[in-house]
Amino acid sequence: MENLNELAKRGALEGGGNRRLAMSDEDGAGRDYVVSRMKALGLKVVIDRVGNVVATRPGRMDGPPVMTGSHVDTVGTGGIYDGALGVLAGLEVVETLNDHDVATDHPIAVAFFSNEEGVRFTPDMMGSQVFAGTVGVPEALDAIGFDGTRYGDELERIGYAGDAECGVREVRSFLELHIEQGPVLDSSGIDIGVVEGVQGLSWTEWSLEGVANHAGTTPMEARHDAGYGAAEITSFARRMAREMGGRQVATVGVIDLHPNLINVVAETARVTVDLRNTDDLALADAETRMTEFVKEMATEEGLKYSRRTLARFAPVPFAPPMVDLIEAKARGRGSSTHRMPSGAGHDAQMLAAICPTAMIFVPSRDGISHNVNEFTEPRQIEAGANVLLDAMLELSGADSTVLDGP
Ligand code: GLV
Ligand code: MN
Ligand code: MN
């Protein structure tokens, strides 16, 4: 908890919460703090070319590590747990092994991956995608942020352009502890979410172009109003998700109007649409419905339109033996468990492409996240960290039972 509160001082917002946008000064300060903790624990720290940081504790054997980790970047109005918890809990596991002189057969690694949130540079989970080999290094370095900056330049500026090659390291297995960021565990009073997989995600940016004109003189039927188009997309997204039902969710998080003035019909709009579903066919259906809607609506209003895919991931199932292991370790500690999909995207879903992977969820009070009021109780965090510890002990072939909990 001390470490979480200490990291939260980097990029602290007035009144609580964090803003550590990827590759900002604040992200750099958060990274420096975590790296100093890694070094203090005697770990060997390696930084790769996109800024992923991997800290390793040797095992009795060489070879691929049992890895855990998450991210330290946040959304612009984030809480102090999203990402940070998974990284610092990994370091807590290492500290516990050090304190108790526990040796493991396989090395243990704690990582944090660059630009998980994807709010400044897209796609999200960028660092873990490069690590897993699904996005190339040049593509990541050349990403342009919403503020016009280049990822690679910002990475260098904050001192995290490492020289280690990406995506060539083998990983024995990967675990990520994370807050649920939804209401399921909190509302049912369950201690531990056993995550079976991550739902699919589709991020699209729509650009609409109409005609700027006078708000008082332009007859309603003569308007080509990009602001109206943005509003129509927003309400269609809601209507469509409600109609489709199941696990379909839809969000318009950005509407950027130009010139954005009270008495001018908007000339252009940039609208982001975030669609997610555990069922990939249903997700594809939602994408098609949205595209057809925009085509029809734009034609009727006389708007030009174009679309850009910012991110697209199919649902990812986690390895059943790893999922079973998490469930067994949680129950072994007397925690109540619930099997569930993850609604949020996570680095673990990218690691799942290269090694057996699973995630552990702890409750989020009132299901609030991507919000400065995000909160998880210390005892719930402790329960999650103990599951992480027990699973890592087993996966790494630890030689000791001195850490068996009550
Ligand atoms: C990442 O945090 C996402 O699920 O948007
Ligand atoms: Mn996260
Ligand atoms: Mn997040």
Side-chain angles (χ1 to χ4, degrees):
M1 293 313 299
E2 259 174 46
N3 293 337
L4 264 172
N5 289 325
E6 202 50 50
L7 176 53
K9 290 181 187 163
R10 278 74 181 173
L13 291 169
E14 230 173 274
N18 282 140
R19 179 181 181 89
R20 287 192 301 270
L21 295 180
M23 306 306 138
S24 62
D25 290 342
E26 294 77 15
D27 185 25
R31 286 165 167 263
D32 291 348
Y33 172 70
V34 174
V35 168
S36 74
R37 292 291 311 144
M38 288 169 159
K39 289 187 173 158
L41 292 171
L43 300 176
K44 180 171 173 244
V45 177
V46 171
I47 305 175
D48 75 19
R49 291 180 56 207
V50 298
N52 295 319
V53 175
V54 178
T56 307
R57 182 181 193 263
R60 276 183 291 246
M61 304 181 222
D62 287 336
V66 172
M67 187 182 280
T68 188
S70 193
H71 59 101
V72 299
D73 67 314
T74 71
V75 295
T77 53
I80 72 166
Y81 305 91
D82 177 0
L85 172 61
V87 179
L88 296 175
L91 293 182
E92 198 69 24
V93 168
V94 169
E95 187 163 353
T96 304
L97 299 188
N98 287 357
D99 286 351
H100 294 264
D101 248 337
V102 177
T104 57
D105 286 340
H106 307 290
I108 280 189
V110 181
F112 62 85
F113 298 99
S114 298
N115 186 29
E116 191 274 348
E117 296 289 5
V119 294
R120 186 180 184 200
F121 304 96
T122 57
D124 52 348
M125 283 86 75
M126 187 193 271
S128 48
Q129 287 193 79
V130 176
F131 190 88
T134 50
V135 165
V137 172
E139 194 183 326
L141 296 181
D142 286 336
I144 302 296
F146 66 63
D147 47 5
T149 54
R150 181 178 168 272
Y151 180 92
D153 296 341
E154 289 292 279
L155 178 67
E156 249 174 60
R157 192 182 62 79
I158 65 165
Y160 277 85
D163 47 20
E165 282 307 316
C166 305
V168 291
R169 290 196 48 170
E170 265 189 90
V171 179
R172 189 172 173 83
S173 52
F174 185 80
L175 291 174
E176 182 172 355
L177 171 65
H178 206 284
I179 54 168
E180 180 203 330
Q181 310 184 269
V184 175
L185 299 175
D186 186 53
S187 62
S188 50
I190 305 256
D191 305 316
I192 299 291
V194 177
V195 186
E196 295 185 295
V198 179
Q199 70 179 349
L201 172 155
S202 162
W203 281 3
T204 305
E205 177 187 80
W206 290 96
S207 297
L208 306 176
E209 189 186 332
V211 178
N213 212 335
H214 196 290
T217 60
T218 315
M220 293 314 288
E221 64 278 10
R223 292 176 184 224
H224 308 293
D225 184 346
Y228 166 78
E232 282 288 284
I233 291 175
T234 307
S235 51
F236 177 76
R238 164 68 66 97
R239 219 163 48 238
M240 173 187 72
R242 296 299 292 262
E243 259 170 44
M244 288 179 67
R247 287 191 180 269
Q248 184 62 49
V249 289
T251 307
V252 170
V254 173
I255 295 181
D256 202 357
L257 298 183
H258 184 78
N260 210 28
L261 299 170
I262 190 167
N263 55 357
V264 183
V265 172
E267 178 172 21
T268 63
R270 189 172 68 85
V271 183
T272 61
V273 178
D274 174 323
L275 303 173
R276 307 196 196 195
N277 203 315
T278 47
D279 175 344
D280 206 32
L281 284 177
L283 183 57
D285 180 36
E287 290 172 307
T288 306
R289 289 186 196 213
M290 180 54 82
T291 301
E292 276 166 10
F293 174 79
V294 175
K295 203 160 123 189
E296 209 171 290
M297 179 276 298
T299 306
E300 228 169 83
E301 182 66 10
L303 300 172
K304 287 188 202 145
Y305 66 94
S306 61
R307 73 190 295 280
R308 193 158 70 98
T309 300
L310 301 179
R312 179 65 167 90
F313 309 121
V316 175
F318 289 142
M322 294 287 285
V323 176
D324 292 346
L325 175 72
I326 296 306
E327 189 171 60
K329 294 304 178 191
R331 290 190 181 164
R333 289 271 179 175
S335 293
S336 52
T337 61
H338 174 67
R339 287 186 171 235
M340 61 189 297
S342 170
H346 295 291
D347 295 309
Q349 80 192 74
M350 302 308 164
L351 272 288
I354 59 168
C355 66
T357 295
M359 289 189 74
I360 305 157
F361 275 175
V362 289
S364 294
R365 186 174 68 192
D366 299 329
I368 293 283
S369 184
H370 282 182
N371 180 319
V372 299
N373 293 321
E374 192 176 89
F375 181 74
T376 301
E377 285 177 38
R379 65 169 179 85
Q380 296 173 315
I381 285 176
E382 184 180 351
N386 277 328
V387 176
L388 179 68
L389 169 68
D390 291 353
M392 289 193 79
L393 284 173
E394 178 154 337
L395 291 168
S396 63
D399 63 357
S400 170
T401 52
V402 294
L403 297 176
D404 280 353

